[in-house]
């Protein structure tokens, strides 16, 4: 993470400047604006899809070369082969960690907790910048290509979000279009919608799962949701699917170099198990329980390690971060190359009985049955098949149907232990890292293990080990990330086997329930650790018995009068860190009235521009404002610190002048009576995505009552 | 519909009685309550699944007998066959319309607009009663079994919702458990969640599409959504899938009589088209456009006809309703039996080239190639294949793959025109009626028509007419109901063909966009017509420039003092129809203060029970309240009128007594300052699901400020 976090303002600040800006918008502009939303959704889809294809191609080509070179060298010397393999990995990982630490610190990790925070109303500095996008794309090529125990799917969600926010801003923070026709998304609220589209696009591109993407954005990432938005998010995902499919069709014709072996469906197991018997539900439930336990353990371990890293290791500077990653890379190379060497090869299955199977696989392909350190030609090394391979291919091999007894229980167990440890250790290092693919690896390993036992004991059934591997993968992800519907749909979309839907559901229900018993989901835990203050969707129980006043008990409210001296503003802004200040004026009869809320960031803009300084302490003409400011002056760029009080430099004369705050303040922030229960206040705050609520005395009279009837205007 | 509509109260009324009730709840009760939520979700799933299986079996058996008898009679006399066929239909339809008109008027139609209204905050009288459930189940058996142009899927959603609300209430309005352990869901807010589960269960059971069910509830029906709820809804859907699958496995062994020919996947077309070329995108886009046009036309026509029915025809009483339905049934019989008679039979396809095809189909089965009024044995009547068949089987035939040229363009066109007209006319009659299946029928007909042309002109391609039929079905539903993601998933789940996902998405995007150009979605139009005041999720544009005060401009607020004479309450309640009244009291220093909101329904409970009458006009001891009332006294049963002022009978002496309202009122309704923009008020009202908002003067001071930090309590 890149430092502090600040709340976003999802409320529309209906001040004079904003209303003028709205009034000036022509009919044409409104129409154009509606179109632009769709155009931007289209561009988000195209951009994210291309980013995904680019990352995919780069990773596949790098690892393709790597394995090709290594395999050709080990014909002569295994030691030399290992050296080349390890160096290749080190080089790739080094580019990744170097990019991240030197150039884009916010690109480390998966980025999903930060995006989740953004969509919950907290902006973490740096997460949606252009440089983060660059760091994320090139960083994940390095870290995934370098064979670390992490995936590229999480970073793709972040990538999608970055692309969306940059498109919405009309460019990066520094270089952007200045015309309001090209950057009309100037409120946090509109940007939020775009980022939601971007997340969905990321998942859709990563797993080629458009519906899964929509659901992921809906279930896991976003905190507010409207069904109109669903329609737009869906459109974006559909575009992603079309672009990725087209790119893949183009690549299939050999124009992209090495390209892996998956089709549009990443891990197609439609040839697998068709049906299941009631007896099998028991082992499947056991897979669910294992998934819940292993997932919860994973969350807990990574939480400890990450918090240790943050508090000790990473405080020592970038050099330590780089050395750490390089050591882990070396360790990964040693384990993934060394362990298969210790394993005895198995003889290939009878090729007459299984005519589809190529064993050992011909050099230069990426299927099952890798011949590695075997004495004869008709043997394969089952540990190398999963360990000494890209993760995508390893998963494909683990999921593969009709390959009974390909893996020995011993190899799977070794792999499970080693890979689980590697995944835990790798998590939280300074490289872009997703947890989906490692999770699928871990889960499918123990799933296949269970499958082996089922085949052994329930002999008569039409059981397929690959199906169990898939269920295992679902269970681990469910146990760690605690998603349900979206994960279920993603699983179905990546394997193209709808018949397994009820089974996946069952496994997910169990693993989530078991996991919830121990701790929170991975992303929530990580967000908490990183100091991202997520607001849950429901108030805590004890809030029912608290009142609003108690939440701000010891507060000395700092407010401004309507017309205020510049020096006083300076003094107040320096003396505290609050981001909003009530403004108190006078009514017609001279009585005191709260006339609105002034944001710190808007005050800073006023102080910086100096255009509104006046020498008399009397109200100004609000119409003058529109000639001095345009609305976009007040808009803060996404995820940057913005101006601070130290950027303001004023002369003594200027400090003696006045500002009339009336045209700039938010005239109607939401208010609650002092004795409203905190649970209700929480609901108000959370459902509407507010940043400030005023606690005020009980009203003395009711001017009117608004009911449903009053809000229905029939055209 | 069954009369007026009234708003629901999603706000928790935190008055004295409620707080006492909460405080008395033990830890054990809270735990039990959390478990009970899941238990009820399970029961909703099981109940809805069983209802669906029951309806399905009944329909399949009735129509199975009907067609078997008719087919055996027409061997001798076509006229006699027709008479039997028409009488059979009339009898079934008569039971349906009789049940509905005499016993459960709220069971007419699909019920989805009403449920949508319920989940938007408007309770239509009668929709969630036990008798409505009964009427819905038996009514749809009659209307679907009787061969009308309507489906059983919409009614199943309503059925699921009824089951959910009855389970949540612990029984029907009259007969229910009285222990609070068995009926703990006593607020509208909790019941809303259950009804959402019920809707999802309905769709999941109707289409055997669990994920589709969740998405339907989310996208189309509900207005508020939390991701915790998603998890519970998902659980319910999974249960439905398991129960339905188990029941079907049991039925497959022949224990259920006639059972249709579908498996768990209703219209499996996984054997269809595997791939598509870019050239095909054009005809597919055309299908999308046709779908949008036909769908919008359908909405418009049904709107006119329904409004004519409501305003003229149905005012004349139940007898007219019954006659109307019987006439339509007769017309349907004549058309579906008569038109195929006019059609010349086609020779069966070459059985050597297509060994899978059984032509003509053997008697007693329900496949393609029906031999009806043909001169020779080796012929089939293509119009009869779709028209003289149950709708499920007709759709299966239309979707069927590898049956090129089975249908002539002429037959399809005839069918399209006739069935479209029948569907329009049947819509809005006094029987339970869904629009999904008719929509799929219509859509797949023109889809297959387009497919025929594609096969003809793009000869070289691997085109399958069944795939085009599927796309047509999607396009019509999209053009009429305007759903996107959920429809897409439902389509994939009912046909088990994930490869078509991007195509379905494309078609849906186009058809929805085209349809939106003309009018609103079917359910919104119908809800408007029925006087269900749905609040959209976003405020209208002009509300930005209105203020709260303008919405209640000419209002004379009617309020109560804290201690009020019974006769005055009676007078006020008689003299207006408002449902909420501000209560004004006095603060410590004698100043006037708004102390809360009193609901009419709660006042009626107080007047009816008389327990709180007191002779002195002084504040009562609130602790006494808990001995006089339990919280559930104040809970209104779902979708019944509840008490009215006419149910109150008081003596003159009683009228002279007083009531202290303080313990019963909602002490903190949400308030807005008088000059807040109406758009913001709307957001508050809509997002939080409120019933009343007080418009009050601007506050004079700010007691405190609540920000995100103040709402985060770390345990
Ligand atoms: N004008 C004010 N006068 C008195 N106390 C304030 C004022 N504004 C905020 N506070 C209090 O100071 C604390 C921090 O305020 P701050 O404005 O930084 O909010 P925050 O929760 O950190 O959110 P953010 O800074 O992201 O908007 C909160 O507890 C808040 O109640
Ligand atoms: N106590 C009151 N004093 C004055 N006007 C009121 C009062 N209560 C409601 N009204 C007004 O009367 C109209 C109808 O009120 P009513 O209480 O019937 O609300 P509604 O919108 O019909 O919702 P529902 O009756 O379903 O709660 C509304 O326009 C409302 O502003
Ligand atoms: Mg702060
Ligand atoms: Mg009313």
């Amino acid at each position: 993470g890149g430092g502090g976090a600040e709340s976003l303002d999802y409320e529309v600040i209906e001040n004079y400047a904003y209303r003028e800006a709205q009034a000036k918008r022509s009919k044409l502009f409104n129409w154009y604006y509606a179109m632009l939303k769709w155009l931007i959704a289209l561009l988000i889809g195209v951009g994210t899809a291309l980013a995904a294809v680019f990352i995919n191609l780069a990773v596949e080509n790098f690892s393709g070369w790597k394995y090709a070179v290594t395999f050709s060298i080990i014909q002569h010397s295994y030691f030399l082969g290992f050296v080349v393999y390890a160096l290749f990995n080190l080089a790739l990982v080094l580019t990744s960690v170097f990019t991240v630490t030197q150039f884009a610190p916010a690109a480390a990790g998966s980025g999903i907790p930060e995006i989740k925070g953004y969509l919950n109303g907290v902006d973490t500095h740096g997460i949606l910048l252009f440089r983060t996008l660059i760091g994320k794309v090139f960083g994940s090529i390095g870290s995934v290509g370098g064979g670390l125990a992490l995936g590229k799917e999480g970073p793709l969600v972040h990538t999608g979000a970055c692309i969306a926010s940059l498109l919405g801003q009309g460019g990066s923070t520094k270089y952007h279009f200045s015309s309001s026709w090209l950057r009309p998304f100037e409120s946090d609220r509109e940007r939020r919608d775009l980022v939601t589209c971007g997340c969905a696009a990321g998942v859709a591109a990563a797993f080629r799962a458009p519906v899964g993407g929509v659901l992921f954005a809906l279930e896991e990432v976003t905190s507010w949701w409207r069904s109109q938005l669903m329609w737009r998010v869906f459109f974006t995902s559909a575009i992603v699917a079309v672009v990725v499919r087209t790119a893949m069709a183009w690549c299939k014709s050999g124009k992209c170099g090495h390209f892996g072996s998956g089709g549009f469906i990443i891990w197609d197991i439609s040839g697998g198990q068709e049906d299941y018997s009631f007896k099998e539900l028991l082992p499947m439930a056991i897979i669910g329980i294992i998934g819940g336990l292993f997932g919860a353990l994973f969350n807990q371990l990574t939480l400890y390690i990450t918090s240790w890293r943050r508090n000790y290791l990473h405080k020592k500077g970038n050099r330590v971060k780089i050395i750490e990653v390089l050591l882990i890379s070396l360790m990964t190379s040693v384990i993934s190359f060394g362990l298969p060497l210790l394993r005895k090869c198995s003889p290939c299955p009878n090729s007459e009985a299984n005519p589809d199977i190529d064993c050992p696989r011909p050099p230069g392909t990426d299927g099952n049955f890798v011949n590695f350190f075997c004495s004869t030609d008709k043997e394969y090394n089952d540990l190398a098949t999963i360990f000494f391979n890209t993760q995508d291919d390893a998963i494909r091999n683990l999921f593969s149907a009709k390959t009974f007894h390909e893996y020995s229980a011993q190899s799977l167990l070794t792999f499970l232990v080693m890979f689980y440890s590697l995944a835990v250790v790798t998590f939280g290092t300074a490289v872009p890292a997703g947890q989906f693919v490692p999770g699928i690896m871990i889960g499918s390993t123990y799933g296949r293990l269970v499958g082996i036992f089922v085949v052994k004991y329930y002999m008569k059934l039409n059981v397929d080990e690959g199906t169990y591997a898939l269920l295992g993968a679902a269970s681990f992800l469910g146990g760690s990330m605690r998603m349900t519907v979206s994960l279920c749909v993603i699983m179905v979309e990546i394997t193209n086997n709808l018949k397994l839907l009820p089974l996946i559901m069952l496994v997910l229900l169990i693993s989530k329930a078991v996991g919830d018993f121990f701790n929170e989901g991975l992303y929530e835990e990580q967000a908490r650790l990183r100091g991202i203050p997520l607001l849950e969707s429901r108030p805590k129980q004890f809030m029912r018995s608290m009142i609003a006043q108690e939440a701000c008990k010891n507060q000395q409210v700092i407010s401004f009068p309507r017309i205020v001296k510049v020096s006083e503003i300076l003094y107040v802004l320096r003396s505290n860190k609050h981001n909003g200040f009530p403004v108190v004026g006078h009514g017609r009869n001279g009585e005191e009235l709260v006339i609105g809320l002034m944001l710190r960031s808007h005050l800073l803009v006023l102080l910086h521009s100096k255009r509104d300084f006046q020498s008399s302490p009397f109200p100004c003409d609000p119409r003058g404002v529109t000639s001095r400011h345009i609305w976009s002056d007040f808009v803060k760029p996404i995820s940057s610190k913005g101006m601070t009080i130290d950027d303001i430099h004023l002369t003594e004369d200027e400090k003696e002048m006045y500002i009339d705050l009336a045209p700039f303040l938010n005239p109607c922030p939401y208010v609650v009576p002092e004795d409203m229960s905190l649970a209700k206040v929480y609901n108000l705050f959370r459902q509407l995505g507010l940043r400030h609520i005023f606690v005020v005395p009980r009203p003395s009279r009711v001017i009117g009552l608004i009911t449903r009837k009053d809000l229905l205007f029939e055209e």
Side-chain angles (χ1 to χ4, degrees), chain A residues 29 32 166-186 630-633 635:
Chain A
F29 187 86
Y32 164 77
L166 293 170
L167 282 171
Q169 270 201 136
S172 73
T173 311
K174 245 192 206 153
Y175 307 99
H176 55 73
F177 297 121
S178 55
S179 154
S180 76
W181 286 74
L182 290 168
R183 45 191 304 247
F185 300 102
E186 298 198 316
I630 56 168
W631 170 243
S632 58
D633 289 351
V635 176

Side-chain angles (χ1 to χ4, degrees), chain A residues 314-333:
Chain A
H314 287 182
K315 286 231 168 102
K316 300 203 179 116
N318 282 340
R319 202 204 292 232
V320 174
K321 288 188 190 171
I322 295 180
I323 294 175
E324 179 195 20
V325 176
L326 293 183
L327 281 179
I328 290 176
S329 166
L330 201 60
M331 203 162 82
T332 311
S333 300

